[in-house]
Amino acid sequence: MDAVDFSPEHRTRALWLSTISFTICFAVWTIFSIIGIRIKQELDLNETEFGLLIGTPILSGSLIRLILGIWTDQYGGRRVYTVVMLAAAVATYLLTWAHTYPQFLVAALFVGIAGGSFAVGVAYVSRFYPTAKQGTALGIFGAGNVGAAVTKFVAPFVLVAYGWQTVAQIWALAIGVMAIVFWLFSEEDPVVRSRRQRKQKAGSAWLELAPLKNIQVWRFALYYFFVFGAFVALSLWLPQYLIKVYGVGIQSAGMMAAMFSFPASVFRAYGGHLSDRFGARRVMYWTFLVGVAATFLLSYPPTDYVVTTVNGKVGFHLEMGLVPFVVIVFVLGFFMALGKAAVYKHIPVYYPNNVGAVGGLVGMIGGLGGFVLPIAFGALVDLTGLRTSCFMLLFLLVGVALVWMHLSIRQMERGVAGEALKRLPELPEMEEIHRPEHIGALSGAVLTDWRPEDDTFWREQGRAIARRNLWISIPALLLSFAVWQVWSVVVAKLPSVGFKFTTDELFWLASLPGISGAVLRIFYSFMVPIFGGRLWTTLATWSLLIPAIGIGYAVQNPATPYPVFLILALLCGFGGGNFASSMANISFFFPRAEKGNALALNAGLGNLGVSVVQFVVPIVITVGVFGWFGGDPAMATSGSQPMPIWLQNAGFVWVPFIVASAFAAWFGMNDIASAKASFADQAVIFQRRHNWIMCWLYTGTFGSFIGYSAGFPLLAKTQFPAVDALQFAFLGPLVGALSRSATGWMADKWGGGRVTVGVFLLMMAGVLGVLYFLGIKDQPGAFWGFFAMFLLLFFATGVGNASTFQMIPNIMRQEITRLMPTADAETRLRQAEKESAAITGFTSAIAAFGAFFIPKSYGTSIDLTGGVQAALWGFFGFYVTCVLITWAVYTRKGGVLHDVERRRAIAAAAQPAE
């Protein structure tokens, strides 16, 4: 009976029974990571003896994997799995009878039987699933490693309340009960059932061992030594490390160590999915690259430096704090989980009939890392006195693995190209047994053919891919806007928590992200065709962590120098630059008929980041969202009663979402080969006068939107100090973002140029309204009139953002027809689209300077005149020029868009109502 003969219900039951069983087995297998600390205290063990104690069950559990895997291939996972769990239950209960160090070592040897369950489960589960789904299935099963986190979360509390003996008794009861449940509800795997139906005896154990003669199996197993062996070793070692280095209690140590064990376990399922979809080689590369970076940072010991300067000696101390340590081990654990799944993706593909034996060997080698490494960690501490020496060893280990894998792959691929390259295995370790049926079995789907204008292609596969990229792009862009505009809220709170900055200095902080974001947009607008949208979106999203984390730390100390805040404000421009590259990237995915709507969704919902930051930050700074991880609150001095404020949350709150979005971008987005272009190909737009005209007009719409968003909270606070305007500030950007998304039809129906003229007239009226209510600001209700006028301005900017972008392709179609009269229609259209995309990105870059000029104009106006009225009159005059330019160049009779928009309006009016 083949795996395909089993119903989804049978597969699911087999998978989840095996996964839950493995979770409990793993919790038992790593029990010494918690109870070993108390035993170490009772027996007064040194570091080496402690390392041997916690490593002994790992040794026995690793060595037994090979024979258990063979028995599973021979007799079936149902029986072997049940026997393993019952034996581990007895051994764990008898652990409570040990009193001397040798007795504990013997008991630990038998507790290790629980660790052998991995080889059983891999062979058992893989037989229920076809090859295309084995990576995901084994990834879910392997997520049972989370049992290590369960032990670290729960065991410390049981230990403190009732003693380590009770921990052992409860864990023994849990694995014993699970053994009975597994036996009652599981069923034989397809291979064993088929063998029994044919009344065929199991093969010889020597036949099961035959694949192990292949040297590549042993070489391949060494990768697992790091991704799994180092995971087990750190799961055991981290509680002790945290107690010794950071002085935390055993409960806190267990919970923080679980921040490594948890992602290193549960994300294994995700690693299986990624290996199925994108290829195991890519996943392993990222595992090793991140492993090198993380272990390097963790291995740096606490160091005191003395630098001789012209003013004398300056000393400073360099040491990793607790919070960065926990964050880095979380990231390390996440990628280890992906790597574990990638390794085991290969085994059922190349050894479908010997999964137990080969999986057992690979698991044994990896498990031996969990035994050898804790002993080595202890010995290194005893020899060097450096607690970070354990990470130095892991840095060396993962570095060797990465270099070896990379050089082997390059050696395999040398001189091979084209179709021959596609026929090679992903990893050279498998080259000797790589046969025609294995070609492409492990490689992920690559986006090489992209024809969005082909209706059949678009309907069958293009639309789904494009929409996936769009919906990954939108939250990344939203976070970019949130980080870009976070200072618009933070600056209003700095004085209340002890920072002695002048009003002009505060306006500078609100303004600088605008100018840096605008400058970066100029470069970002050309990056996607050069580097590819997937890579650039990933890198641009990761870059948001720098200002987000920096702000979180800087605002906690009122002694932080003002130049540090200036630098952080400039770095927030990373978020502003992302708009240009995001819009350029999404434009390549959609056909002309859907491009406008896709760009409106990407831009409009991305713009919501401004509203989100102004809504979320005032809430999160009032509570300790991150507990002790986030630091202590400051006492706000404004108001009648001092209140605690966690202003650092304004930066920290975005960190987990940025990380998730960056991962989603890398693993979920695509590059399009046909979208590649050099800077020189795109630079032709600098010769087009309409590029510069549209920069002026888009500055009037988007520049106003982002500038008012950045400056409104601080402006309202300075002009109406009795009103807590922060609780309403998010509404303006929200209105602007929604109006941009919802009013694109107006430009389609009446023409972008005509709508733009109306937009600027409406904005002129809005500015006059703001000036009026500022003039009577001491009267009751003046703030609400002031606020209503700004809502009108935000609404108008949103409509104008959509209408100006709608103008650009229509302008360039007319212009290219004039510039290239002898070219055929298809060539002219292709050139117009290329230049329209480049102009769209470049105009967004120039317009982003509004985020600097508008807040800075407020500050300068206050310094020079004592009020903001002079700045507002300047905005009014600017809008007057925008109306005149739009009318004179585009919408008047004889203008570039006059005939186009009149025909569009007539055609729209002639259509019957639906």
Side-chain angles (χ1 to χ4, degrees):
M1 180 175 290
D2 192 80
V4 297
D5 297 326
F6 273 83
S7 67
E9 292 77 11
H10 287 95
R11 293 176 181 171
T12 302
R13 184 165 68 249
L15 175 59
W16 288 109
L17 280 172
S18 300
T19 303
I20 295 171
S21 298
F22 182 49
T23 301
I24 297 175
C25 286
F26 214 92
V28 170
W29 196 32
T30 57
I31 192 173
F32 278 94
S33 64
I34 298 300
I35 69 172
I37 296 173
R38 185 58 54 86
I39 295 171
K40 178 179 184 291
Q41 297 170 348
E42 292 179 358
L43 301 181
D44 194 25
L45 305 180
N46 61 32
E47 298 295 341
T48 304
E49 290 172 331
F50 175 71
L52 180 61
L53 175 63
I54 64 175
T56 296
I58 309 304
L59 172 65
S60 58
S62 303
L63 294 176
I64 203 174
R65 285 183 172 188
L66 180 58
I67 188 62
L68 289 179
I70 295 172
W71 285 349
T72 303
D73 284 341
Q74 289 184 300
Y75 307 115
R78 182 168 178 257
R79 282 180 283 181
V80 177
Y81 218 149
T82 303
V83 171
V84 165
M85 286 190 282
L86 289 174
V90 173
T92 306
Y93 183 80
L94 293 178
L95 173 65
T96 60
W97 292 10
H99 298 287
T100 66
Y101 184 62
Q103 290 175 344
F104 277 111
L105 289 178
V106 173
L109 195 68
F110 286 97
V111 169
I113 294 173
S117 60
F118 177 73
V120 182
V122 167
Y124 179 70
V125 170
S126 66
R127 289 176 174 177
F128 284 89
Y129 287 85
T131 300
K133 296 183 178 180
Q134 285 174 340
T136 302
L138 293 180
I140 293 173
F141 167 75
N145 290 163
V146 77
V150 172
T151 291
K152 292 177 179 62
F153 267 123
V154 181
F157 296 97
V158 179
L159 183 149
V160 172
Y162 302 106
W164 68 263
Q165 292 88 348
T166 303
V167 176
Q169 292 167 354
I170 293 175
W171 266 232
L173 177 64
I175 195 171
V177 171
M178 192 63 219
I180 298 172
V181 171
F182 185 85
W183 176 257
L184 292 176
F185 294 98
S186 64
E187 54 189 321
E188 297 293 353
D189 64 66
V191 173
V192 171
R193 179 173 294 190
S194 177
R195 189 188 299 153
R196 288 182 178 178
Q197 289 176 349
R198 297 194 306 266
K199 297 182 180 180
Q200 179 182 356
K201 291 185 178 180
S204 167
W206 292 110
L207 293 177
E208 298 292 342
L209 288 170
L212 305 189
K213 67 183 180 181
N214 298 322
I215 188 65
Q216 75 271 10
V217 175
W218 295 83
R219 291 177 60 201
F220 190 66
L222 290 181
Y223 295 135
Y224 204 60
F225 188 85
F226 171 74
V227 293
F228 179 75
F231 156 70
V232 175
L234 286 177
S235 293
L236 298 171
W237 191 256
L238 280 177
Q240 174 77 359
Y241 183 93
L242 289 162
I243 291 171
K244 294 293 185 181
V245 174
Y246 295 106
V248 300
I250 189 170
Q251 296 101 322
S252 298
M255 294 184 68
M256 284 183 280
M259 293 295 290
F260 168 78
S261 302
F262 183 78
S265 306
V266 297
F267 287 109
R268 185 167 183 163
Y270 187 48
H273 168 72
L274 295 176
S275 297
D276 281 340
R277 181 174 177 185
F278 297 104
R281 179 198 290 183
R282 183 184 294 177
V283 175
M284 292 187 68
Y285 258 122
W286 274 99
T287 296
F288 289 149
L289 286 168
V290 174
V292 167
T295 53
F296 175 79
L297 294 173
L298 294 169
S299 64
Y300 205 87
T303 309
D304 290 302
Y305 290 91
V306 177
V307 179
T308 301
T309 70
V310 295
N311 298 319
K313 296 184 181 296
V314 177
F316 60 93
H317 181 74
L318 185 63
E319 181 178 3
M320 179 172 289
L322 180 58
V323 173
F325 178 86
V326 174
V327 171
I328 293 176
V329 297
F330 178 92
V331 173
L332 178 62
F334 175 86
F335 279 94
M336 279 182 163
L338 304 187
K340 285 182 285 187
V343 169
Y344 265 85
K345 168 66 178 172
H346 296 74
I347 295 173
V349 173
Y350 285 91
Y351 299 99
N353 299 319
N354 305 97
V355 175
V358 177
L361 173 69
V362 173
M364 182 185 74
I365 298 295
L368 286 175
F371 168 72
V372 173
L373 290 174
I375 298 174
F377 291 167
L380 283 172
V381 173
D382 289 338
L383 289 172
T384 66
L386 295 174
R387 292 282 176 187
T388 60
S389 57
C390 59
F391 296 108
M392 297 177 186
L393 177 60
L394 294 182
F395 172 75
L396 179 64
L397 175 63
V398 68
V400 169
L402 173 62
V403 171
W404 186 14
M405 185 180 79
H406 181 71
L407 293 179
S408 298
I409 291 172
R410 290 294 168 261
Q411 179 67 30
M412 177 183 70
E413 295 179 342
R414 188 168 298 163
V416 181
E419 291 299 319
L421 184 63
K422 296 180 181 179
R423 291 195 293 270
L424 291 175
E426 282 208 320
L427 298 171
E429 288 80 0
M430 299 301 181
E431 192 168 12
E432 296 177 26
I433 56 172
H434 193 64
R435 296 189 295 273
E437 63 266 26
H438 297 138
I439 295 174
L442 292 172
S443 60
V446 178
L447 191 63
T448 56
D449 179 29
W450 192 247
R451 293 172 283 114
E453 301 296 343
D454 184 326
D455 290 340
T456 302
F457 174 85
W458 179 250
R459 184 174 58 257
E460 293 181 354
Q461 53 183 302
R463 178 181 283 110
I465 296 172
R467 287 180 176 176
R468 185 183 71 246
N469 281 267
L470 173 63
W471 291 111
I472 293 175
S473 173
I474 286 172
L477 186 57
L478 186 148
L479 289 167
S480 297
F481 271 93
V483 172
W484 191 26
Q485 293 300 305
V486 70
W487 281 109
S488 67
V489 183
V490 172
V491 292
K493 290 293 184 180
L494 288 177
S496 64
V497 294
F499 289 92
K500 307 299 183 183
F501 299 148
T502 66
T503 300
D504 189 53
E505 288 175 330
L506 293 176
F507 273 113
W508 267 107
L509 292 178
S511 304
L512 282 181
I515 195 169
S516 61
V519 171
L520 288 174
R521 280 192 181 193
I522 296 174
F523 300 99
Y524 278 38
S525 60
F526 301 104
M527 292 297 104
V528 169
I530 297 173
F531 292 100
R534 172 174 163 266
L535 174 60
W536 188 254
T537 302
T538 302
L539 294 176
T541 304
W542 277 120
S543 71
L544 302 177
L545 287 177
I546 300 173
I549 295 175
I551 290 171
Y553 283 113
V555 299
Q556 294 186 57
N557 185 3
T560 302
Y562 183 68
V564 172
F565 284 99
L566 292 177
I567 293 172
L568 288 172
L570 287 170
L571 291 175
C572 284
F574 287 149
N578 288 357
F579 180 81
S581 57
S582 179
M583 295 293 283
N585 182 46
I586 293 303
S587 69
F588 288 113
F589 280 95
F590 287 84
R592 288 192 300 273
E594 299 185 31
K595 196 186 299 288
N597 185 54
L599 292 176
L601 286 172
N602 192 54
L605 298 181
N607 287 167
L608 280 176
V610 181
S611 181
V612 168
V613 75
Q614 294 181 352
F615 176 76
V616 169
V617 169
I619 296 175
V620 298
I621 64 176
T622 62
V623 292
V625 177
F626 299 99
W628 59 268
F629 280 105
D632 297 326
M635 299 305 296
T637 56
S638 61
S640 58
Q641 294 292 334
M643 296 183 64
I645 288 183
W646 288 264
L647 193 55
Q648 60 268 32
N649 290 351
F652 289 153
V653 71
W654 311 110
V655 171
F657 300 102
I658 291 170
V659 172
S661 182
F663 282 135
W666 178 254
F667 291 112
M669 297 187 76
N670 299 98
D671 289 326
I672 301 176
S674 60
K676 294 291 185 180
S678 67
F679 176 79
D681 294 332
Q682 304 172 76
V684 67
I685 66 170
F686 298 125
Q687 304 172 22
R688 309 301 190 210
R689 72 185 184 99
H690 292 289
N691 173 51
W692 303 106
I693 294 173
M694 291 310 299
C695 285
W696 186 268
L697 298 182
Y698 195 58
T699 299
T701 57
F702 179 78
S704 297
F705 167 80
I706 200 65
Y708 291 146
S709 299
F712 177 77
L714 191 56
L715 174 67
K717 185 174 181 61
T718 58
Q719 301 303 307
F720 298 91
V723 180
D724 184 9
L726 280 182
Q727 59 183 316
F728 309 111
F730 75 95
L731 289 174
L734 176 63
V735 168
L738 294 179
S739 66
R740 178 173 192 162
S741 302
T743 61
W745 62 271
M746 296 171 62
D748 288 336
K749 184 174 182 179
W750 292 304
R754 301 166 77 192
V755 172
T756 300
V757 170
V759 162
F760 286 124
L761 291 173
L762 191 61
M763 293 175 70
M764 291 165 59
V767 171
L768 292 176
V770 171
L771 285 166
Y772 171 76
F773 285 106
L774 283 178
I776 60 169
K777 64 181 180 179
D778 294 330
Q779 296 184 20
F783 170 78
W784 298 110
F786 167 85
F787 184 58
M789 290 299 102
F790 262 103
L791 290 182
L792 177 64
L793 284 169
F794 276 113
F795 172 80
T797 61
V799 178
N801 288 337
S803 64
T804 47
F805 265 16
Q806 193 270 354
M807 292 169 62
I808 292 173
N810 288 329
I811 293 170
M812 294 314 300
R813 289 191 188 103
Q814 302 299 310
E815 187 71 359
I816 295 300
T817 299
R818 182 183 66 83
L819 295 171
M820 302 173 62
T822 60
D824 60 82
E826 184 177 349
T827 300
R828 291 199 301 266
L829 181 60
R830 186 166 55 249
Q831 181 67 20
E833 288 183 345
K834 183 180 73 174
E835 294 191 23
S836 296
I839 291 174
T840 297
F842 186 72
T843 55
S844 73
I846 299 301
F849 282 100
F852 166 76
F853 284 114
I854 287 181
K856 189 64 187 72
S857 296
Y858 291 149
T860 302
S861 178
I862 292 173
D863 275 353
L864 296 179
T865 67
V868 296
Q869 284 81 355
L872 291 166
W873 279 114
F875 304 156
F876 181 86
F878 177 75
Y879 299 147
V880 170
T881 67
C882 292
V883 170
L884 295 176
I885 290 172
T886 307
W887 176 81
V889 180
Y890 299 118
T891 64
R892 67 175 177 84
K893 189 173 183 178
V896 175
L897 296 178
H898 179 272
D899 294 339
V900 175
E901 294 187 348
R902 294 287 175 175
R903 285 196 299 268
R904 181 186 300 272
I906 293 171
Q911 291 180 354
E914 296 184 359

